[in-house]
Amino acid sequence: SAALRKTGAVVPPGYETGSDVVLIAFGDRSIGPDGQEQAAADAFEVALFGRGIQAKDADDRLSPISPPLKGRGEAEAVASAARGPWGWMTAGRVGSYAHREPESGGWKAGARLNVALYELGGSTEPARVETSGDVIDVSSAAAVTRALEEAAQEAAARVEGKIVASRRGRATIGVLVSGRKDPAFLLRLIGDLRRVPDVIGASLVSWDSLDSMALIHAYSAGPKVDVLAAYLLRADPSLRLGAIETDSGRLTVEGPEIAPSQDRGWP
């Protein structure tokens, strides 16, 4: 189970921590980012972190990503990122200007940031964000840096909004299975969970022995715990329902009791 979960084979995108990480890949992917694009990527990573969103710069030389991002264009870079442990990728282009203000003698700078947000494993059409920042400072370099930071902060806020909107209604529901159980029963229960409308996946998380509690995760795009419980009982009336914990998103079920005359033990 743990090995499968690391590959992403059984967990839909957007339902676990690793799937929330945003890979930042600014600049022309055939040559990599220039100095201005690298500065914008750094500012954007910091801005996302400030909003509680994990992010990683694909071009960070001190801490390179593994596997490295490949591809000579945006589409190839997205395909390469989809093979890694990332939930999202942002491509980006940057523009800026700076000129001296005659009245104050200071420097006025502006920056424009165009970001394409890809949900890896989802739609190939990105959500696009365009932001800007305008600043006056005593030096041109300081003004451009602050303008880039302003544009990055606004871009991070808008990217956060798009990520939150895409996750609305999603929840990971834990199904605890008590009592004695065999593989056939667990497979049947997982199959019933997968057939619930708007449940986009279900997988076994842990199970140590026939008498131990098993944990299944159901990945819901809508149904709450109580609705899920109702569907399970409708699919298999012999199930016995235990606790329904709406706050923690968890329910407990137990298979049908075996009559003593039919209990021949488990292989």
Side-chain angles (χ1 to χ4, degrees):
S1 175
L4 285 172
R5 295 169 77 77
K6 286 181 180 178
T7 68
V10 296
V11 181
Y15 281 86
E16 292 203 344
T17 302
S19 300
D20 291 333
V21 180
V22 177
L23 183 65
I24 302 170
F26 284 3
D28 184 343
R29 299 318 305 169
S30 63
I31 58 175
D34 59 25
Q36 183 174 252
E37 289 162 339
Q38 188 63 64
D42 291 342
F44 186 55
E45 183 177 0
V46 170
L48 288 173
F49 179 78
R51 294 181 170 275
I53 298 175
Q54 296 184 66
K56 177 65 180 173
D57 186 357
D59 301 293
D60 188 339
R61 291 182 175 85
L62 295 178
S63 178
I65 64 171
S66 180
L69 193 63
K70 298 180 179 179
R72 296 184 59 82
E74 191 169 303
E76 291 182 9
V78 171
S80 176
R83 293 190 287 271
W86 322 106
W88 306 82
M89 191 193 99
T90 54
R93 294 299 179 90
V94 182
S96 67
Y97 71 87
H99 62 78
R100 190 178 289 278
E101 287 279 280
E103 297 84 1
S104 64
W107 287 86
K108 181 176 182 179
R112 302 290 182 270
L113 185 55
N114 295 320
V115 175
L117 175 67
Y118 291 88
E119 183 175 7
L120 303 176
S123 172
T124 56
E125 287 299 317
R128 299 197 177 273
V129 171
E130 297 183 8
T131 62
S132 62
D134 296 283
V135 172
I136 296 177
D137 211 316
V138 295
S139 75
S140 58
V144 169
T145 298
R146 288 180 55 203
L148 285 172
E149 290 172 351
E150 276 197 3
Q153 286 289 345
E154 183 183 349
R158 293 173 62 181
V159 164
E160 178 193 27
K162 292 182 180 296
I163 290 176
V164 169
S166 74
R167 302 286 165 80
R168 191 167 290 125
R170 296 187 188 182
T172 299
I173 298 175
V175 180
L176 290 168
V177 188
S178 63
R180 301 203 79 188
K181 61 197 73 66
D182 62 357
F185 169 69
L186 290 174
L187 285 171
R188 188 169 70 249
L189 181 58
I190 291 171
D192 289 341
L193 286 167
R194 289 173 176 169
R195 285 187 286 273
V196 176
D198 293 323
V199 168
I200 62 175
S203 62
L204 182 67
V205 177
S206 63
W207 179 43
D208 295 325
S209 65
L210 294 171
D211 291 304
S212 69
M213 192 84 79
L215 174 62
I216 298 170
H217 276 175
Y219 304 103
S220 170
K224 305 298 183 184
V225 178
D226 53 349
V227 175
L228 194 69
Y231 271 103
L232 287 179
L233 290 176
R234 194 176 306 152
D236 185 356
S238 66
L239 280 179
R240 289 172 291 169
L241 189 62
I244 299 179
E245 304 173 44
T246 56
D247 292 338
S248 59
R250 189 168 61 182
L251 66 94
T252 303
V253 298
E254 186 175 349
E257 288 186 349
I258 301 173
S261 60
Q262 298 176 350
D263 188 0
R264 299 179 177 85
W266 299 89

